[in-house]
Amino acid sequence: MKSVSVTLACVAALTAATAPVFAKTRPQAAPAAAPAAPAAPTGPTGPGEGDWRTPDPQNVLVIDTSKGRILVELEPLAAPLHVQRVKELARAHFYDGLTFFRVLEGFMDQTGDPNNNGTGGSDKPNLPPEFMFRRGADTPFVSVGRGAGTEWGFLNSMAVVSQPMDLAMMTADHKVAAFGPFCQGVIGAARAEDPASANSQFYLMRDPAHSLDQKYTAFGAVISGLDVVRAIKAGPDPSGAVPDPKDSMTTVRVLADLPEAQRPKVRVLDPRGPWFQVLAAKARKDKVIELGPCDVDLISEVK
């Protein structure tokens, strides 16, 4: 669980410097403090047009639920088989009406089972694990920070932890190992004990759970509707089993498949943009926090 939650809006408040206070003197009078002058901004106060990215509508999942709408940007570069499967099932309307049958406050919302109890799946074969992937020089990874022998950043909307690219010169494929950590908003594949048992079930993370890292497949991230994810009815006991009435997914669609008139217009803050870079650099310089992959929520606009 992360101990400090930092959104870019919070970090933006750090970009203003404190101006000095000047005193005005009068003959034979004690100095009187004048009102402080307004602080001069040291960077942009909000994102401009060049700070936004439009996700590929072929890789955005529109999940309408009994609590509201959730938009998930899928990441085929991290887990191509899982992205293909969830899109295939969404296009077959497999997920429509299925419930969130296991929900744990502070952890995740599980769904995608036609039996609505965790025992079922689709008629398609189970998927092999995609716990990690290979990052190459051509992977559109945006590096934000470094740790002990690692670096972290974003692959589109999904946070990623990777070996440093410097190591690529020593590998046969000139790539390095990377994985998606289970931050808030991540979509992950549910499975049984067998690592190759994922099928149709998935879960949406309410909060970070690094115990799942490199043990389950992460294949995208919520770009709008994290509040909806956290509003889904949770189970009352440690098992997370949700009593009736359960919340449900009314429809699940691929954004590109929606009629133009019904298609939401979505854009997401681009970590390559100047506004993000200024804020991240300011936070690191001031050492307000040690930035980590789950400490930054990429804001979005949906119209």
Side-chain angles (χ1 to χ4, degrees):
M1 303 288 290
K2 65 178 181 179
S3 58
V4 181
S5 175
V6 175
T7 64
L8 294 176
C10 296
V11 182
L14 303 173
T15 59
T18 302
V21 177
F22 295 94
K24 188 186 295 182
T25 59
R26 298 177 182 177
Q28 300 178 345
T42 59
T45 58
E49 286 301 314
D51 289 299
W52 298 100
R53 176 182 62 83
T54 300
D56 181 354
Q58 293 288 348
N59 288 321
V60 175
L61 208 59
V62 182
I63 306 174
D64 285 315
T65 78
S66 50
K67 282 296 199 319
R69 172 168 283 183
I70 302 165
L71 300 181
V72 178
E73 184 172 12
L74 304 171
E75 190 43 73
L77 292 177
L81 298 178
H82 286 75
V83 168
Q84 179 182 351
R85 172 61 56 83
V86 76
K87 288 165 60 174
E88 186 178 12
L89 293 177
R91 284 173 164 145
H93 299 186
F94 174 89
Y95 290 120
D96 294 1
L98 300 189
T99 67
F100 292 94
F101 60 86
R102 181 172 175 253
V103 179
L104 287 161
E105 193 66 61
F107 184 27
M108 60 85 203
D109 307 345
Q110 187 170 345
T111 185
D113 175 15
N115 297 335
N116 291 316
N117 59 14
T119 64
S122 73
D123 59 0
K124 302 183 184 305
N126 290 344
L127 296 169
E130 294 180 294
F131 303 159
M132 303 187 72
F133 65 97
R134 302 293 289 172
R135 171 194 163 204
D138 58 343
T139 304
F141 171 83
V142 181
S143 182
V144 178
R146 286 182 174 266
T150 63
E151 61 179 317
W152 69 269
F154 289 93
L155 185 55
N156 292 317
S157 295
M158 195 171 93
V160 167
V161 176
S162 167
Q163 291 178 313
M165 203 60 202
D166 300 346
L167 298 179
M169 66 181 68
M170 297 184 287
T171 64
D173 61 356
H174 301 296
K175 296 181 179 181
V176 294
F179 68 92
F182 278 83
C183 300
Q184 65 279 3
V186 162
I187 182 171
R191 63 171 178 84
E193 289 295 322
D194 181 358
S197 59
N199 188 287
S200 65
Q201 295 184 39
F202 62 86
Y203 47 89
L204 300 168
M205 302 301 296
R206 296 166 83 101
D207 288 294
H210 294 300
S211 61
L212 306 180
D213 291 357
Q214 303 178 72
K215 299 175 184 176
Y216 292 80
T217 299
F219 58 99
V222 170
I223 54 176
S224 177
L226 185 57
D227 57 333
V228 177
V229 172
R230 289 172 171 158
I232 297 295
K233 180 180 176 181
D237 60 60
S239 74
V242 182
D244 291 331
K246 301 175 178 67
D247 284 319
S248 63
M249 299 185 292
T250 52
T251 61
V252 180
R253 299 289 184 268
V254 176
L255 180 61
D257 297 345
L258 293 177
E260 184 64 34
Q262 301 174 21
R263 189 182 303 177
K265 304 298 186 290
V266 188
R267 63 180 189 172
V268 184
L269 187 72
D270 191 340
R272 297 168 298 184
W275 190 61
F276 179 94
Q277 296 297 327
V278 166
L279 298 182
K282 178 67 173 173
R284 284 193 295 267
K285 180 180 178 182
D286 291 350
K287 296 183 179 179
V288 175
I289 58 166
E290 292 295 333
L291 287 179
C294 297
D295 289 326
V296 177
D297 295 319
L298 296 182
I299 62 174
S300 65
E301 285 186 354
V302 181
K303 296 179 181 180

Short mmCIF file of all heavy atoms in Angstrom, two decimals, residues 221-287:
data_model
loop_
_atom_site.label_atom_id
_atom_site.label_comp_id
_atom_site.label_asym_id
_atom_site.label_seq_id
_atom_site.Cartn_x
_atom_site.Cartn_y
_atom_site.Cartn_z
N ALA A 221 -4.50 0.04 -17.71
CA ALA A 221 -4.75 0.90 -16.55
C ALA A 221 -5.99 1.75 -16.78
O ALA A 221 -6.29 2.17 -17.91
CB ALA A 221 -3.55 1.80 -16.28
N VAL A 222 -6.71 2.01 -15.71
CA VAL A 222 -7.88 2.89 -15.75
C VAL A 222 -7.42 4.30 -16.07
O VAL A 222 -6.49 4.83 -15.45
CB VAL A 222 -8.62 2.87 -14.40
CG1 VAL A 222 -9.69 3.96 -14.34
CG2 VAL A 222 -9.24 1.50 -14.15
N ILE A 223 -8.04 4.93 -17.06
CA ILE A 223 -7.74 6.32 -17.38
C ILE A 223 -8.87 7.25 -16.99
O ILE A 223 -8.69 8.47 -16.96
CB ILE A 223 -7.38 6.50 -18.87
CG1 ILE A 223 -8.48 5.94 -19.78
CG2 ILE A 223 -6.04 5.85 -19.17
CD1 ILE A 223 -8.23 6.18 -21.27
N SER A 224 -10.02 6.70 -16.66
CA SER A 224 -11.14 7.50 -16.15
C SER A 224 -12.06 6.55 -15.37
O SER A 224 -12.34 5.44 -15.82
CB SER A 224 -11.92 8.15 -17.30
OG SER A 224 -13.05 8.86 -16.82
N GLY A 225 -12.52 7.00 -14.20
CA GLY A 225 -13.45 6.20 -13.43
C GLY A 225 -12.84 5.44 -12.28
O GLY A 225 -13.46 4.49 -11.79
N LEU A 226 -11.66 5.85 -11.79
CA LEU A 226 -11.10 5.18 -10.61
C LEU A 226 -12.04 5.35 -9.41
O LEU A 226 -12.13 4.47 -8.56
CB LEU A 226 -9.71 5.72 -10.29
CG LEU A 226 -8.95 5.04 -9.15
CD1 LEU A 226 -8.79 3.54 -9.40
CD2 LEU A 226 -7.59 5.70 -8.93
N ASP A 227 -12.76 6.47 -9.38
CA ASP A 227 -13.74 6.67 -8.31
C ASP A 227 -14.86 5.63 -8.40
O ASP A 227 -15.38 5.18 -7.37
CB ASP A 227 -14.32 8.08 -8.35
CG ASP A 227 -14.95 8.43 -9.71
OD1 ASP A 227 -14.53 7.86 -10.74
OD2 ASP A 227 -15.87 9.27 -9.73
N VAL A 228 -15.21 5.24 -9.63
CA VAL A 228 -16.23 4.20 -9.82
C VAL A 228 -15.69 2.85 -9.34
O VAL A 228 -16.39 2.09 -8.67
CB VAL A 228 -16.67 4.13 -11.29
CG1 VAL A 228 -17.68 3.01 -11.51
CG2 VAL A 228 -17.24 5.47 -11.74
N VAL A 229 -14.44 2.56 -9.69
CA VAL A 229 -13.81 1.31 -9.24
C VAL A 229 -13.90 1.20 -7.72
O VAL A 229 -14.24 0.15 -7.16
CB VAL A 229 -12.33 1.25 -9.69
CG1 VAL A 229 -11.61 0.07 -9.06
CG2 VAL A 229 -12.24 1.17 -11.21
N ARG A 230 -13.63 2.30 -7.04
CA ARG A 230 -13.62 2.30 -5.57
C ARG A 230 -15.02 2.36 -4.97
O ARG A 230 -15.19 2.13 -3.77
CB ARG A 230 -12.78 3.47 -5.07
CG ARG A 230 -11.28 3.25 -5.32
CD ARG A 230 -10.47 4.47 -5.00
NE ARG A 230 -9.03 4.18 -5.04
CZ ARG A 230 -8.08 5.09 -5.23
NH1 ARG A 230 -8.42 6.37 -5.40
NH2 ARG A 230 -6.81 4.74 -5.24
N ALA A 231 -16.03 2.66 -5.82
CA ALA A 231 -17.41 2.71 -5.33
C ALA A 231 -18.14 1.38 -5.48
O ALA A 231 -19.23 1.20 -4.92
CB ALA A 231 -18.19 3.79 -6.07
N ILE A 232 -17.55 0.43 -6.21
CA ILE A 232 -18.18 -0.88 -6.38
C ILE A 232 -18.36 -1.53 -5.00
O ILE A 232 -17.47 -1.49 -4.15
CB ILE A 232 -17.32 -1.78 -7.29
CG1 ILE A 232 -17.22 -1.18 -8.71
CG2 ILE A 232 -17.84 -3.20 -7.35
CD1 ILE A 232 -18.51 -1.12 -9.46
N LYS A 233 -19.50 -2.16 -4.80
CA LYS A 233 -19.84 -2.75 -3.50
C LYS A 233 -18.84 -3.82 -3.10
O LYS A 233 -18.57 -4.75 -3.86
CB LYS A 233 -21.24 -3.36 -3.57
CG LYS A 233 -21.72 -4.00 -2.27
CD LYS A 233 -23.11 -4.58 -2.45
CE LYS A 233 -23.59 -5.32 -1.21
NZ LYS A 233 -24.94 -5.90 -1.41
N ALA A 234 -18.27 -3.67 -1.91
CA ALA A 234 -17.27 -4.61 -1.40
C ALA A 234 -17.91 -5.67 -0.54
O ALA A 234 -18.99 -5.48 0.03
CB ALA A 234 -16.20 -3.86 -0.62
N GLY A 235 -17.22 -6.80 -0.43
CA GLY A 235 -17.68 -7.87 0.45
C GLY A 235 -17.43 -7.51 1.90
O GLY A 235 -16.47 -6.80 2.21
N PRO A 236 -18.24 -8.02 2.82
CA PRO A 236 -18.13 -7.63 4.23
C PRO A 236 -17.09 -8.41 5.02
O PRO A 236 -16.79 -8.05 6.15
CB PRO A 236 -19.54 -7.91 4.76
CG PRO A 236 -20.02 -9.07 3.94
CD PRO A 236 -19.42 -8.87 2.56
N ASP A 237 -16.54 -9.48 4.45
CA ASP A 237 -15.59 -10.29 5.21
C ASP A 237 -14.29 -10.43 4.45
O ASP A 237 -14.18 -10.02 3.29
CB ASP A 237 -16.19 -11.68 5.51
CG ASP A 237 -16.54 -12.44 4.24
OD1 ASP A 237 -15.62 -12.70 3.43
OD2 ASP A 237 -17.73 -12.77 4.05
N PRO A 238 -13.24 -11.00 5.06
CA PRO A 238 -11.92 -11.06 4.42
C PRO A 238 -11.88 -11.82 3.10
O PRO A 238 -10.96 -11.65 2.32
CB PRO A 238 -11.05 -11.76 5.48
CG PRO A 238 -11.72 -11.45 6.77
CD PRO A 238 -13.18 -11.44 6.47
N SER A 239 -12.87 -12.67 2.83
CA SER A 239 -12.88 -13.39 1.55
C SER A 239 -13.22 -12.49 0.38
O SER A 239 -12.91 -12.80 -0.77
CB SER A 239 -13.89 -14.54 1.60
OG SER A 239 -15.22 -14.04 1.53
N GLY A 240 -13.89 -11.38 0.66
CA GLY A 240 -14.30 -10.46 -0.40
C GLY A 240 -15.56 -10.88 -1.13
O GLY A 240 -15.98 -10.19 -2.06
N ALA A 241 -16.17 -12.00 -0.74
CA ALA A 241 -17.40 -12.45 -1.40
C ALA A 241 -18.49 -11.40 -1.19
O ALA A 241 -18.77 -11.00 -0.05
CB ALA A 241 -17.83 -13.80 -0.85
N VAL A 242 -19.12 -10.98 -2.28
CA VAL A 242 -20.10 -9.90 -2.21
C VAL A 242 -21.50 -10.49 -2.15
O VAL A 242 -21.89 -11.27 -3.01
CB VAL A 242 -19.98 -8.98 -3.44
CG1 VAL A 242 -20.97 -7.82 -3.34
CG2 VAL A 242 -18.55 -8.44 -3.57
N PRO A 243 -22.29 -10.13 -1.12
CA PRO A 243 -23.67 -10.62 -1.06
C PRO A 243 -24.54 -9.91 -2.09
O PRO A 243 -24.21 -8.82 -2.57
CB PRO A 243 -24.09 -10.27 0.36
CG PRO A 243 -23.26 -9.08 0.72
CD PRO A 243 -21.95 -9.26 0.02
N ASP A 244 -25.66 -10.53 -2.42
CA ASP A 244 -26.62 -9.89 -3.32
C ASP A 244 -27.28 -8.71 -2.61
O ASP A 244 -27.48 -8.75 -1.41
CB ASP A 244 -27.67 -10.92 -3.76
CG ASP A 244 -27.08 -11.97 -4.68
OD1 ASP A 244 -26.11 -11.67 -5.39
OD2 ASP A 244 -27.59 -13.12 -4.67
N PRO A 245 -27.64 -7.66 -3.33
CA PRO A 245 -27.40 -7.46 -4.77
C PRO A 245 -25.97 -6.99 -5.03
O PRO A 245 -25.47 -6.12 -4.34
CB PRO A 245 -28.42 -6.39 -5.13
CG PRO A 245 -28.58 -5.58 -3.87
CD PRO A 245 -28.43 -6.56 -2.74
N LYS A 246 -25.34 -7.58 -6.03
CA LYS A 246 -23.98 -7.21 -6.40
C LYS A 246 -24.02 -6.10 -7.46
O LYS A 246 -24.97 -6.01 -8.24
CB LYS A 246 -23.23 -8.42 -6.97
CG LYS A 246 -23.11 -9.61 -6.03
CD LYS A 246 -22.45 -10.77 -6.77
CE LYS A 246 -22.27 -11.98 -5.86
NZ LYS A 246 -23.57 -12.58 -5.48
N ASP A 247 -22.97 -5.32 -7.51
CA ASP A 247 -22.80 -4.41 -8.64
C ASP A 247 -22.40 -5.22 -9.87
O ASP A 247 -21.82 -6.31 -9.75
CB ASP A 247 -21.76 -3.34 -8.33
CG ASP A 247 -22.29 -2.26 -7.40
OD1 ASP A 247 -23.45 -1.85 -7.59
OD2 ASP A 247 -21.55 -1.84 -6.49
N SER A 248 -22.69 -4.68 -11.04
CA SER A 248 -22.44 -5.45 -12.27
C SER A 248 -21.91 -4.56 -13.38
O SER A 248 -21.98 -3.33 -13.31
CB SER A 248 -23.73 -6.14 -12.73
OG SER A 248 -24.70 -5.16 -13.07
N MET A 249 -21.38 -5.21 -14.41
CA MET A 249 -21.03 -4.54 -15.66
C MET A 249 -22.24 -4.64 -16.58
O MET A 249 -22.62 -5.74 -16.98
CB MET A 249 -19.81 -5.21 -16.30
CG MET A 249 -18.57 -5.19 -15.45
SD MET A 249 -17.10 -5.86 -16.30
CE MET A 249 -17.56 -7.61 -16.45
N THR A 250 -22.85 -3.53 -16.89
CA THR A 250 -24.02 -3.59 -17.76
C THR A 250 -23.60 -3.88 -19.20
O THR A 250 -24.17 -4.75 -19.86
CB THR A 250 -24.82 -2.28 -17.68
OG1 THR A 250 -23.93 -1.18 -17.92
CG2 THR A 250 -25.43 -2.12 -16.30
N THR A 251 -22.59 -3.15 -19.68
CA THR A 251 -22.02 -3.44 -21.00
C THR A 251 -20.51 -3.20 -20.95
O THR A 251 -20.02 -2.37 -20.19
CB THR A 251 -22.61 -2.54 -22.11
OG1 THR A 251 -22.33 -1.17 -21.83
CG2 THR A 251 -24.11 -2.75 -22.25
N VAL A 252 -19.79 -3.95 -21.79
CA VAL A 252 -18.34 -3.75 -21.96
C VAL A 252 -18.08 -3.70 -23.46
O VAL A 252 -18.41 -4.65 -24.18
CB VAL A 252 -17.53 -4.89 -21.30
CG1 VAL A 252 -16.03 -4.65 -21.51
CG2 VAL A 252 -17.85 -5.00 -19.82
N ARG A 253 -17.51 -2.60 -23.92
CA ARG A 253 -17.27 -2.40 -25.34
C ARG A 253 -15.85 -1.88 -25.59
O ARG A 253 -15.25 -1.25 -24.72
CB ARG A 253 -18.28 -1.39 -25.93
CG ARG A 253 -19.74 -1.82 -25.82
CD ARG A 253 -20.08 -2.96 -26.74
NE ARG A 253 -21.49 -3.29 -26.67
CZ ARG A 253 -22.00 -4.21 -25.85
NH1 ARG A 253 -21.21 -4.89 -25.03
NH2 ARG A 253 -23.30 -4.47 -25.84
N VAL A 254 -15.36 -2.10 -26.79
CA VAL A 254 -14.13 -1.46 -27.25
C VAL A 254 -14.53 -0.08 -27.77
O VAL A 254 -15.50 0.04 -28.53
CB VAL A 254 -13.44 -2.29 -28.34
CG1 VAL A 254 -12.21 -1.56 -28.89
CG2 VAL A 254 -13.05 -3.66 -27.80
N LEU A 255 -13.79 0.94 -27.37
CA LEU A 255 -14.16 2.31 -27.72
C LEU A 255 -14.34 2.49 -29.23
O LEU A 255 -15.28 3.14 -29.68
CB LEU A 255 -13.09 3.28 -27.20
CG LEU A 255 -13.30 4.76 -27.48
CD1 LEU A 255 -14.58 5.27 -26.84
CD2 LEU A 255 -12.10 5.58 -26.99
N ALA A 256 -13.48 1.89 -30.02
CA ALA A 256 -13.55 2.04 -31.48
C ALA A 256 -14.83 1.47 -32.06
O ALA A 256 -15.23 1.85 -33.18
CB ALA A 256 -12.34 1.38 -32.13
N ASP A 257 -15.48 0.56 -31.34
CA ASP A 257 -16.69 -0.09 -31.84
C ASP A 257 -17.96 0.70 -31.56
O ASP A 257 -19.02 0.37 -32.10
CB ASP A 257 -16.83 -1.49 -31.24
CG ASP A 257 -15.69 -2.42 -31.64
OD1 ASP A 257 -14.95 -2.08 -32.58
OD2 ASP A 257 -15.55 -3.47 -31.00
N LEU A 258 -17.88 1.72 -30.72
CA LEU A 258 -19.07 2.51 -30.41
C LEU A 258 -19.39 3.43 -31.58
O LEU A 258 -18.48 3.94 -32.25
CB LEU A 258 -18.84 3.36 -29.15
CG LEU A 258 -18.68 2.61 -27.83
CD1 LEU A 258 -18.40 3.60 -26.70
CD2 LEU A 258 -19.92 1.79 -27.52
N PRO A 259 -20.68 3.65 -31.85
CA PRO A 259 -21.04 4.62 -32.89
C PRO A 259 -20.43 5.98 -32.57
O PRO A 259 -20.29 6.36 -31.39
CB PRO A 259 -22.57 4.65 -32.81
CG PRO A 259 -22.96 3.36 -32.18
CD PRO A 259 -21.85 3.01 -31.23
N GLU A 260 -20.06 6.71 -33.58
CA GLU A 260 -19.37 7.99 -33.39
C GLU A 260 -20.13 8.91 -32.45
O GLU A 260 -19.54 9.58 -31.60
CB GLU A 260 -19.17 8.66 -34.74
CG GLU A 260 -18.38 9.96 -34.69
CD GLU A 260 -16.94 9.77 -34.22
OE1 GLU A 260 -16.36 8.72 -34.53
OE2 GLU A 260 -16.40 10.69 -33.57
N ALA A 261 -21.44 8.94 -32.57
CA ALA A 261 -22.24 9.85 -31.74
C ALA A 261 -22.22 9.45 -30.27
O ALA A 261 -22.47 10.29 -29.40
CB ALA A 261 -23.69 9.89 -32.26
N GLN A 262 -21.94 8.18 -29.98
CA GLN A 262 -21.92 7.70 -28.59
C GLN A 262 -20.51 7.57 -28.02
O GLN A 262 -20.35 7.22 -26.86
CB GLN A 262 -22.62 6.34 -28.51
CG GLN A 262 -24.05 6.33 -28.97
CD GLN A 262 -24.63 4.92 -29.00
OE1 GLN A 262 -24.12 4.03 -28.33
NE2 GLN A 262 -25.68 4.74 -29.78
N ARG A 263 -19.52 7.86 -28.84
CA ARG A 263 -18.13 7.60 -28.43
C ARG A 263 -17.58 8.77 -27.62
O ARG A 263 -17.52 9.90 -28.10
CB ARG A 263 -17.27 7.39 -29.67
CG ARG A 263 -15.86 6.90 -29.39
CD ARG A 263 -15.07 6.76 -30.67
NE ARG A 263 -15.71 5.85 -31.63
CZ ARG A 263 -15.24 5.61 -32.84
NH1 ARG A 263 -14.14 6.24 -33.26
NH2 ARG A 263 -15.87 4.77 -33.64
N PRO A 264 -17.18 8.54 -26.37
CA PRO A 264 -16.57 9.63 -25.60
C PRO A 264 -15.23 10.04 -26.20
O PRO A 264 -14.49 9.21 -26.73
CB PRO A 264 -16.40 9.02 -24.20
CG PRO A 264 -16.37 7.54 -24.43
CD PRO A 264 -17.24 7.28 -25.61
N LYS A 265 -14.95 11.32 -26.12
CA LYS A 265 -13.66 11.86 -26.58
C LYS A 265 -12.72 11.88 -25.37
O LYS A 265 -13.00 12.53 -24.37
CB LYS A 265 -13.83 13.26 -27.16
CG LYS A 265 -14.86 13.33 -28.30
CD LYS A 265 -14.45 12.48 -29.48
CE LYS A 265 -15.40 12.66 -30.66
NZ LYS A 265 -16.73 12.09 -30.43
N VAL A 266 -11.61 11.17 -25.50
CA VAL A 266 -10.72 10.97 -24.36
C VAL A 266 -9.32 11.46 -24.69
O VAL A 266 -8.82 11.23 -25.80
CB VAL A 266 -10.64 9.46 -23.99
CG1 VAL A 266 -9.86 9.27 -22.69
CG2 VAL A 266 -12.02 8.84 -23.89
N ARG A 267 -8.70 12.12 -23.74
CA ARG A 267 -7.29 12.42 -23.84
C ARG A 267 -6.65 12.29 -22.45
O ARG A 267 -7.32 12.51 -21.44
CB ARG A 267 -7.01 13.78 -24.46
CG ARG A 267 -7.54 14.99 -23.70
CD ARG A 267 -7.19 16.26 -24.46
NE ARG A 267 -7.48 17.47 -23.69
CZ ARG A 267 -7.14 18.69 -24.07
NH1 ARG A 267 -6.47 18.87 -25.21
NH2 ARG A 267 -7.42 19.74 -23.33
N VAL A 268 -5.39 11.91 -22.44
CA VAL A 268 -4.68 11.59 -21.21
C VAL A 268 -3.40 12.42 -21.14
O VAL A 268 -2.76 12.67 -22.17
CB VAL A 268 -4.33 10.08 -21.15
CG1 VAL A 268 -3.67 9.73 -19.83
CG2 VAL A 268 -5.58 9.24 -21.37
N LEU A 269 -3.03 12.83 -19.93
CA LEU A 269 -1.78 13.56 -19.76
C LEU A 269 -0.62 12.73 -20.27
O LEU A 269 -0.48 11.55 -19.94
CB LEU A 269 -1.56 13.90 -18.29
CG LEU A 269 -0.37 14.80 -18.00
CD1 LEU A 269 -0.66 16.22 -18.47
CD2 LEU A 269 -0.04 14.81 -16.53
N ASP A 270 0.21 13.33 -21.11
CA ASP A 270 1.35 12.64 -21.70
C ASP A 270 2.59 12.87 -20.84
O ASP A 270 3.01 14.02 -20.66
CB ASP A 270 1.59 13.19 -23.12
CG ASP A 270 2.56 12.35 -23.92
OD1 ASP A 270 3.34 11.59 -23.31
OD2 ASP A 270 2.54 12.46 -25.16
N PRO A 271 3.20 11.80 -20.30
CA PRO A 271 4.39 11.99 -19.47
C PRO A 271 5.59 12.51 -20.25
O PRO A 271 6.59 12.91 -19.65
CB PRO A 271 4.66 10.60 -18.89
CG PRO A 271 3.98 9.66 -19.82
CD PRO A 271 2.78 10.39 -20.36
N ARG A 272 5.50 12.53 -21.58
CA ARG A 272 6.57 13.13 -22.38
C ARG A 272 6.40 14.63 -22.51
O ARG A 272 7.30 15.33 -22.99
CB ARG A 272 6.58 12.51 -23.79
CG ARG A 272 6.89 11.04 -23.82
CD ARG A 272 6.60 10.45 -25.19
NE ARG A 272 5.18 10.56 -25.52
CZ ARG A 272 4.63 10.06 -26.62
NH1 ARG A 272 5.38 9.45 -27.51
NH2 ARG A 272 3.33 10.19 -26.85
N GLY A 273 5.24 15.15 -22.09
CA GLY A 273 4.95 16.57 -22.25
C GLY A 273 5.70 17.44 -21.25
O GLY A 273 6.11 17.00 -20.18
N PRO A 274 5.86 18.73 -21.58
CA PRO A 274 6.62 19.63 -20.71
C PRO A 274 6.00 19.84 -19.34
O PRO A 274 6.72 19.99 -18.35
CB PRO A 274 6.67 20.94 -21.50
CG PRO A 274 5.57 20.84 -22.52
CD PRO A 274 5.44 19.39 -22.83
N TRP A 275 4.67 19.84 -19.24
CA TRP A 275 4.06 20.09 -17.94
C TRP A 275 4.39 18.96 -16.97
O TRP A 275 4.78 19.20 -15.83
CB TRP A 275 2.54 20.24 -18.08
CG TRP A 275 1.88 20.74 -16.82
CD1 TRP A 275 2.10 21.93 -16.19
CD2 TRP A 275 0.89 20.07 -16.05
NE1 TRP A 275 1.31 22.02 -15.08
CE2 TRP A 275 0.55 20.90 -14.97
CE3 TRP A 275 0.24 18.83 -16.18
CZ2 TRP A 275 -0.40 20.55 -14.01
CZ3 TRP A 275 -0.70 18.48 -15.23
CH2 TRP A 275 -1.02 19.33 -14.16
N PHE A 276 4.25 17.72 -17.42
CA PHE A 276 4.58 16.59 -16.55
C PHE A 276 6.05 16.64 -16.15
O PHE A 276 6.40 16.43 -14.99
CB PHE A 276 4.27 15.27 -17.26
CG PHE A 276 4.61 14.06 -16.44
CD1 PHE A 276 3.65 13.45 -15.65
CD2 PHE A 276 5.89 13.53 -16.44
CE1 PHE A 276 3.95 12.35 -14.87
CE2 PHE A 276 6.21 12.42 -15.67
CZ PHE A 276 5.24 11.83 -14.88
N GLN A 277 6.93 16.92 -17.09
CA GLN A 277 8.35 16.91 -16.81
C GLN A 277 8.74 17.98 -15.80
O GLN A 277 9.56 17.74 -14.91
CB GLN A 277 9.14 17.08 -18.11
CG GLN A 277 8.97 15.95 -19.11
CD GLN A 277 9.47 14.62 -18.57
OE1 GLN A 277 10.41 14.56 -17.81
NE2 GLN A 277 8.80 13.53 -18.97
N VAL A 278 8.17 19.17 -15.91
CA VAL A 278 8.46 20.24 -14.96
C VAL A 278 8.02 19.85 -13.55
O VAL A 278 8.75 20.03 -12.57
CB VAL A 278 7.79 21.56 -15.40
CG1 VAL A 278 7.80 22.58 -14.27
CG2 VAL A 278 8.49 22.13 -16.62
N LEU A 279 6.83 19.29 -13.45
CA LEU A 279 6.31 18.93 -12.14
C LEU A 279 7.11 17.79 -11.51
O LEU A 279 7.40 17.82 -10.31
CB LEU A 279 4.83 18.53 -12.25
CG LEU A 279 3.89 19.64 -12.75
CD1 LEU A 279 2.46 19.14 -12.76
CD2 LEU A 279 4.02 20.89 -11.90
N ALA A 280 7.46 16.80 -12.31
CA ALA A 280 8.24 15.69 -11.77
C ALA A 280 9.62 16.16 -11.33
O ALA A 280 10.12 15.78 -10.26
CB ALA A 280 8.37 14.59 -12.82
N ALA A 281 10.25 17.03 -12.12
CA ALA A 281 11.57 17.55 -11.76
C ALA A 281 11.50 18.38 -10.49
O ALA A 281 12.39 18.30 -9.63
CB ALA A 281 12.14 18.38 -12.91
N LYS A 282 10.47 19.19 -10.35
CA LYS A 282 10.30 20.02 -9.15
C LYS A 282 10.13 19.16 -7.91
O LYS A 282 10.73 19.41 -6.86
CB LYS A 282 9.08 20.94 -9.35
CG LYS A 282 8.74 21.83 -8.17
CD LYS A 282 9.80 22.86 -7.92
CE LYS A 282 9.35 23.83 -6.83
NZ LYS A 282 10.42 24.77 -6.45
N ALA A 283 9.31 18.12 -8.02
CA ALA A 283 9.08 17.23 -6.88
C ALA A 283 10.36 16.53 -6.46
O ALA A 283 10.66 16.40 -5.27
CB ALA A 283 8.00 16.21 -7.21
N ARG A 284 11.13 16.08 -7.45
CA ARG A 284 12.39 15.41 -7.13
C ARG A 284 13.38 16.37 -6.49
O ARG A 284 14.07 16.02 -5.53
CB ARG A 284 13.00 14.80 -8.40
CG ARG A 284 12.32 13.52 -8.85
CD ARG A 284 13.14 12.80 -9.90
NE ARG A 284 13.23 13.59 -11.13
CZ ARG A 284 12.41 13.46 -12.16
NH1 ARG A 284 11.43 12.58 -12.12
NH2 ARG A 284 12.56 14.21 -13.24
N LYS A 285 13.46 17.60 -6.99
CA LYS A 285 14.40 18.57 -6.46
C LYS A 285 14.07 18.92 -5.01
O LYS A 285 14.95 19.02 -4.16
CB LYS A 285 14.37 19.83 -7.32
CG LYS A 285 15.32 20.93 -6.84
CD LYS A 285 15.24 22.15 -7.75
CE LYS A 285 16.14 23.26 -7.24
NZ LYS A 285 16.04 24.48 -8.09
N ASP A 286 12.80 19.11 -4.73
CA ASP A 286 12.38 19.49 -3.39
C ASP A 286 12.35 18.30 -2.44
O ASP A 286 12.21 18.47 -1.23
CB ASP A 286 10.99 20.14 -3.43
CG ASP A 286 11.02 21.50 -4.10
OD1 ASP A 286 12.14 22.01 -4.36
OD2 ASP A 286 9.95 22.06 -4.37
N LYS A 287 12.43 17.09 -3.00
CA LYS A 287 12.42 15.86 -2.21
C LYS A 287 11.23 15.83 -1.25
O LYS A 287 11.32 15.42 -0.11
CB LYS A 287 13.73 15.70 -1.44
CG LYS A 287 14.93 15.52 -2.35
CD LYS A 287 16.22 15.28 -1.58
CE LYS A 287 17.38 15.07 -2.53
NZ LYS A 287 18.66 14.86 -1.84
#
